[in-house]
Amino acid sequence: MSSMKSSEISTWIRNRIAKDVHKNPSEVDPEAGFDQLGIDSLALLGVLGDLAAELDIEIETSVLFDHPTITALAKHLGSD
């Protein structure tokens, strides 16, 4: 997996989604489902693609169904 810790990945995703939805990262609930964050599926795929590039790994889009929150996805991808 990646060399980033899950907390670092969570922060990265929150910051990235916050930019897309024009909110402060602190307003992006890491426990909310991606569908509740105000980001559409196309934008979410963009986030996933950028995250894959950031972590230098391949991430299957199906991972979003198995890990539907920022916290769950970060734990899945993190090194801790």
Side-chain angles (χ1 to χ4, degrees):
M1 280 291 157
S2 99
S3 60
M4 283 177 72
K5 294 193 175 301
S6 59
S7 61
E8 296 170 314
I9 294 171
S10 178
T11 298
W12 189 96
I13 298 169
R14 286 177 79 187
N15 289 333
R16 178 65 170 70
I17 289 177
K19 195 165 33 172
D20 279 4
V21 298
H22 309 289
K23 288 185 176 179
N24 186 301
S26 65
E27 297 176 276
V28 178
D29 182 358
E31 301 296 330
F34 288 115
D35 59 334
Q36 298 171 307
L37 296 176
I39 187 169
D40 66 35
S41 57
L42 193 59
L44 185 55
L45 290 178
V47 171
L48 197 61
D50 290 349
L51 180 59
E54 178 74 19
L55 298 176
D56 195 29
I57 60 173
E58 281 190 40
I59 304 174
E60 297 290 329
T61 56
S62 61
V63 78
L64 296 172
F65 297 106
D66 295 330
H67 309 282
T69 67
I70 293 172
T71 298
L73 182 60
K75 284 182 180 174
H76 174 68
L77 297 174
S79 62
D80 50 328

